[in-house]
């Protein structure tokens, strides 16, 4: 009888032990989906071998994740888009070789990087901050490969124009800051905002799960089935920062930032790769032709059935294209020398 009770107790204890994490997961999913999202990012950083670090620059702190050490291939610095964060790149990093030196930095004011009310969040202002970061970690001891998407693409392009000796090559993914030839769905939203003196909600700054779903549909051609609780979690993560995002957004569409990349194209000397989704509804794919006209010889990779969120929709292909470009440019350099 005593033995039977011990067996029963063992099953009860084992069942309770298994139930606790399951209950915790379900509770997190239902009650704190934003916490679950943070755990998800932490898990993938750990799985991919990325370490979170900080770089201090005279009272200003940058947060970034990195993997590997400088080696034969150039280091790769990745700049994310508006209202995103360094973990945006996790899906791409997953498909890049582990021996590469990779750095994903939170853009000025975003996520773990210092946010101040007096900072300049124009494209030029962000370029100056990123240069501070590069110098603080001495990344430019050797020319590196710079990658930027959307807002980060505009910052990357202007950076290459202003600090050409830092860059050995560059990849711009659906970069903002170009006078594209055709209007997009987002351009129509922007016109409505201007007409209503910016009293309407900005499509890229959602405040409800429904608006988050609309934003994802705007940015992505691929339709992801995302549970309502996760949509709520994505909103909850962003809500405390929406006032800041509005400030940055207004700066990005201002006269001095809106076409900053195009105004600097003639100064870009580094080998350039353009990756663009053919179904981009935010920044029209015709921008690739505009860049190619100003920089003949640049490599252009247009992706079928892909929207603005190339990093999310085509991570494996994006990583493959970037790596191919870096290797091809290194081989060209070796032959010429």
């Amino acid at each position: 009888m005593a033995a039977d009770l011990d067996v029963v107790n063992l099953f009860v204890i084992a069942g309770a032990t298994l139930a606790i994490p399951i209950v915790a997961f379900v509770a997190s999913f239902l009650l704190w989906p934003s916490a679950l999202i943070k755990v998800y990012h932490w898990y993938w950083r750990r799985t991919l071998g990325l370490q979170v670090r900080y770089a201090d620059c005279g009272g200003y702190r940058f947060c970034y994740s990195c993997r590997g050490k400088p080696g034969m291939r150039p280091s790769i610095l990745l700049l994310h888009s508006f209202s995103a964060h360094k973990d945006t790149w996790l899906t791409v990093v997953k498909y890049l070789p582990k021996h590469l030196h990779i750095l994903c930095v939170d853009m000025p004011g975003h996520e773990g990087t210092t946010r101040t009310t007096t900072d300049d969040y124009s494209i030029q202002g962000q370029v100056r901050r990123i240069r501070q970061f590069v110098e603080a970690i001495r990344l430019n001891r050797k020319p590196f490969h710079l990658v930027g998407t959307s807002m980060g693409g505009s910052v990357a392009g202007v950076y290459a124009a202003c600090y050409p000796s830092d860059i050995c090559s560059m990849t711009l993914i659906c970069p903002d800051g170009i006078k594209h030839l055709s209007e997009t769905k987002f351009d129509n939203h922007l016109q409505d905002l201007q007409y209503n003196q910016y009293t309407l909600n900005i499509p890229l700054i959602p405040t409800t799960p429904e608006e988050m779903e609309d934003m994802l549909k705007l940015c992505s051609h691929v339709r992801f089935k995302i549970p309502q609780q996760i949509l709520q979690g994505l909103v909850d993560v962003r809500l405390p920062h929406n006032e800041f995002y509005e400030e940055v957004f207004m700066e990005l569409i201002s006269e001095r930032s809106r076409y900053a990349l195009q105004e600097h194209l003639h100064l870009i000397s580094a080998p350039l790769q353009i990756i663009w989704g053919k179904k981009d509804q935010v920044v029209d794919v015709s921008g690739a032709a505009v860049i190619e006209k100003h920089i003949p010889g640049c490599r252009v990779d247009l992706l079928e059935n892909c929207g603005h969120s190339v990093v999310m929709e085509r991570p494996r292909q994006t990583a493959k294209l970037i790596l191919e470009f870096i290797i091809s440019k290194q081989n060209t350099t070796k032959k010429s020398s």
Side-chain angles (χ1 to χ4, degrees):
M1 184 68 177
D4 290 343
L5 285 173
D6 285 343
V7 171
V8 170
N9 287 336
L10 186 64
F11 274 110
V12 170
I13 292 169
T17 303
L18 289 171
I20 288 170
I22 293 171
V23 170
F25 176 83
V26 172
S28 297
F29 181 75
L30 295 175
L31 302 176
W32 306 290
S34 60
L36 196 62
I37 290 167
K38 291 179 181 178
V39 170
Y40 173 83
H41 288 148
W42 171 84
Y43 168 79
W44 275 109
R45 283 198 303 269
R46 187 177 179 86
T47 300
L48 296 173
L50 286 162
Q51 294 182 323
V52 175
R53 293 182 179 173
Y54 296 90
D56 292 306
C57 312
Y60 193 92
R61 172 173 278 197
F62 291 94
C63 179
Y64 66 104
S65 58
C66 61
R67 185 178 77 185
K69 295 180 179 179
M72 293 290 290
R73 303 289 184 205
S75 299
I76 303 175
L77 175 60
L78 300 149
L79 307 183
H80 64 73
S81 58
F82 165 74
S83 77
H85 45 75
K86 59 188 175 297
D87 294 326
T88 298
W89 296 103
L90 289 174
T91 51
V92 172
V93 172
K94 178 181 176 181
Y95 296 107
L96 289 171
K98 289 192 175 181
H99 67 269
L100 291 178
H101 184 217
I102 297 168
L103 305 98
C104 313
V105 64
D106 284 327
M107 297 295 282
H110 289 69
E111 193 75 7
T113 292
T114 298
R115 179 181 301 171
T116 70
T117 55
T118 57
D119 221 357
D120 178 6
Y121 293 107
S122 67
I123 295 300
Q124 284 280 19
Q126 293 193 58
V127 166
R128 286 190 290 271
R129 282 297 189 192
I130 294 300
R131 184 73 190 312
Q132 274 187 306
F133 169 70
V134 166
E135 292 191 313
I137 64 170
R138 302 180 68 190
L139 184 61
N140 55 351
R141 283 179 296 179
K142 180 182 175 184
F144 58 90
H145 183 81
L146 184 58
V147 182
T149 181
S150 195
M151 177 193 78
S154 185
V155 173
V158 176
Y159 186 104
C162 294
Y163 307 106
S165 62
D166 286 3
I167 309 296
C168 65
S169 51
M170 178 172 59
T171 300
L172 302 182
I173 304 172
C174 305
D176 194 14
I178 295 292
K179 294 178 182 177
H180 41 265
L181 305 176
S182 303
E183 285 192 351
T184 63
K185 190 174 180 180
F186 179 70
D187 289 326
N188 295 331
H189 282 304
L190 198 55
Q191 289 169 11
D192 290 341
L193 282 169
Q194 291 170 334
Y195 181 77
N196 289 278
Q197 298 182 328
Y198 301 98
T199 55
L200 302 177
N201 286 347
I202 299 169
L204 299 181
I205 308 178
T207 59
T208 66
E210 292 73 26
E211 289 178 2
M212 173 59 72
E213 191 169 26
D214 289 341
M215 186 191 80
L216 292 174
K217 287 178 180 177
L218 175 68
C219 294
S220 173
H221 179 71
V222 176
R223 292 293 177 255
F224 297 97
K225 292 182 179 179
I226 302 175
Q228 188 74 6
Q229 286 297 324
I230 297 299
L231 289 171
Q232 183 64 60
L234 292 169
V235 171
D236 291 345
V237 168
R238 296 168 63 98
L239 274 176
H241 310 287
N242 276 357
E243 188 175 337
F244 165 72
Y245 294 152
E246 287 178 16
E247 178 188 347
V248 176
F249 179 81
M250 296 306 294
E251 187 60 66
L252 293 178
I253 63 172
S254 69
E255 199 170 311
R256 65 173 176 162
S257 290
R258 190 163 184 182
Y259 302 117
L261 175 56
Q262 183 149 344
E263 291 163 1
H264 286 80
L265 287 177
H266 67 287
L267 297 173
I268 295 176
S269 56
L272 173 63
Q273 175 186 40
I274 305 295
I275 301 176
W276 218 305
K278 284 189 174 182
K279 301 292 186 180
D280 195 333
Q281 297 184 90
V282 179
V283 186
D284 192 71
V285 66
S286 61
V290 174
I291 296 174
E292 193 174 20
K293 183 179 178 181
H294 283 78
I295 308 176
C298 69
R299 171 171 168 169
V300 178
D301 294 297
L302 304 182
L303 309 187
E304 298 286 347
N305 299 314
C306 183
H308 187 66
S309 299
V310 170
V311 172
M312 182 172 69
E313 296 178 68
R314 296 284 188 273
R316 185 196 294 266
Q317 189 176 5
T318 301
K320 180 175 178 287
L321 289 171
I322 292 172
L323 190 58
E324 284 176 355
F325 181 67
I326 290 173
I327 293 172
S328 70
K329 288 302 146 189
Q330 272 202 307
N331 291 341
T332 301
T333 303
K334 285 178 184 178
K335 286 178 182 178
S336 61
S337 59

